Amino acid sequence: MQPSLGRVFGSRGKVARYLIVLAILAALGMTAIRQVGTGQIAVVTRFGKVTGRELGEGLHVVMPFGIDQVVRYDIKVQKQTDEASAASKDLQDVGAELALNYRIEAGRVGEIHRTIGPLYGPKLIDPALQEVFKATSAKFSAQELITNRAEVKKEAYDLIKERLEKYGITIDDLSIVNFKFSPSFSKAIEEKQVAQQNAERAKFNLEAAQIDAQAQQAQAQTLSPLFLQKQAIEKWDGKMPTYMGQGSVFNIPLQ
């Protein structure tokens, strides 16, 4: 017995409705579920405005169909390196490579997103590193930048920490490596080092000569005529000498 046309179209209509419902649910799942990775914090915005909601690691449900947008921020320790140039206190050109280790405070990600945005690196950190290096270099002579590395680093660290932590960026460490100076200053430093080495070598040679002279003087004072006479007598074999004159003691040859 053949099914009626009404039944056929009725069954197909139910399947279509089911498919539509499934498509809607799939769309909801795709647009409403967001995953936040390990070491990340996500900021939720609604129509471009920060909602104040921050999402931690894992799966989260937000308003679907683009009503809510999610912007992820990395809160792990990050490293940024920059080349910087400045002038020292004695007006020498100096350059260096700066390596900054920093992290974003988890509870202030929304504030960073609202006031600075995802491009906080080029907007905030890059210019801060440049200005801090200039300010630090201006407090030291070129020679002091080389000899007082620990003090230079501390000065720069304190400045960058004060500048960035008010924005919610925690500073873990700052390194200043590979100082570079003008060719003329580098040559002057090299010549000074050579001169110092030569001076130290001359001083050592002088002290060595003085010590040797003192040793010879002490030896000469020790080898007195009486001492030599005693030595000769002790070495006499009891035989009478066959000659006399200088170089003998009581007619006993010294050799």
Side-chain angles (χ1 to χ4, degrees), residues 154-215:
K154 183 179 185 306
E155 179 73 22
Y157 175 83
D158 291 342
L159 287 176
I160 197 74
K161 180 181 177 72
E162 178 183 359
R163 184 178 178 91
L164 294 182
E165 288 200 343
K166 61 185 177 182
Y167 294 102
I169 298 176
T170 299
I171 305 303
D172 289 333
D173 190 28
L174 173 66
S175 298
I176 305 177
V177 296
N178 298 330
F179 272 115
K180 300 175 184 177
F181 299 94
S182 65
S184 59
F185 180 78
S186 299
K187 183 178 179 181
I189 289 294
E190 182 179 355
E191 291 175 349
K192 182 177 180 180
Q193 290 175 342
V194 171
Q196 288 177 341
Q197 291 173 357
N198 291 336
E200 290 294 330
R201 187 178 298 109
K203 180 180 178 182
F204 173 80
N205 292 337
L206 177 60
E207 291 177 350
Q210 290 174 344
I211 292 173
D212 186 58
Q214 291 172 359

Side-chain angles (χ1 to χ4, degrees), residues 15-104:
V15 171
R17 286 194 294 272
Y18 290 147
L19 292 176
I20 292 172
V21 171
L22 289 175
I24 294 174
L25 291 176
L28 284 173
M30 294 177 61
T31 60
I33 297 176
R34 292 291 181 268
Q35 181 178 5
V36 180
T38 302
Q40 291 183 331
I41 292 289
V43 177
V44 179
T45 64
R46 183 167 298 170
F47 302 117
K49 184 178 180 180
V50 177
T51 63
R53 183 184 176 192
E54 295 183 3
L55 308 179
E57 302 172 2
L59 295 176
H60 303 272
V61 177
V62 297
M63 293 292 290
F65 304 118
I67 297 175
D68 283 353
Q69 296 291 330
V70 172
V71 183
R72 296 169 181 82
Y73 283 82
D74 196 337
I75 60 171
K76 298 188 296 293
V77 175
Q78 302 179 64
K79 180 179 181 179
Q80 181 162 331
T81 57
D82 281 340
E83 295 284 341
S85 60
S88 63
K89 187 171 64 176
D90 53 349
L91 302 181
Q92 293 288 340
D93 293 333
V94 55
E97 179 181 325
L98 308 180
L100 180 69
N101 290 338
Y102 70 93
R103 50 193 167 84
I104 299 175

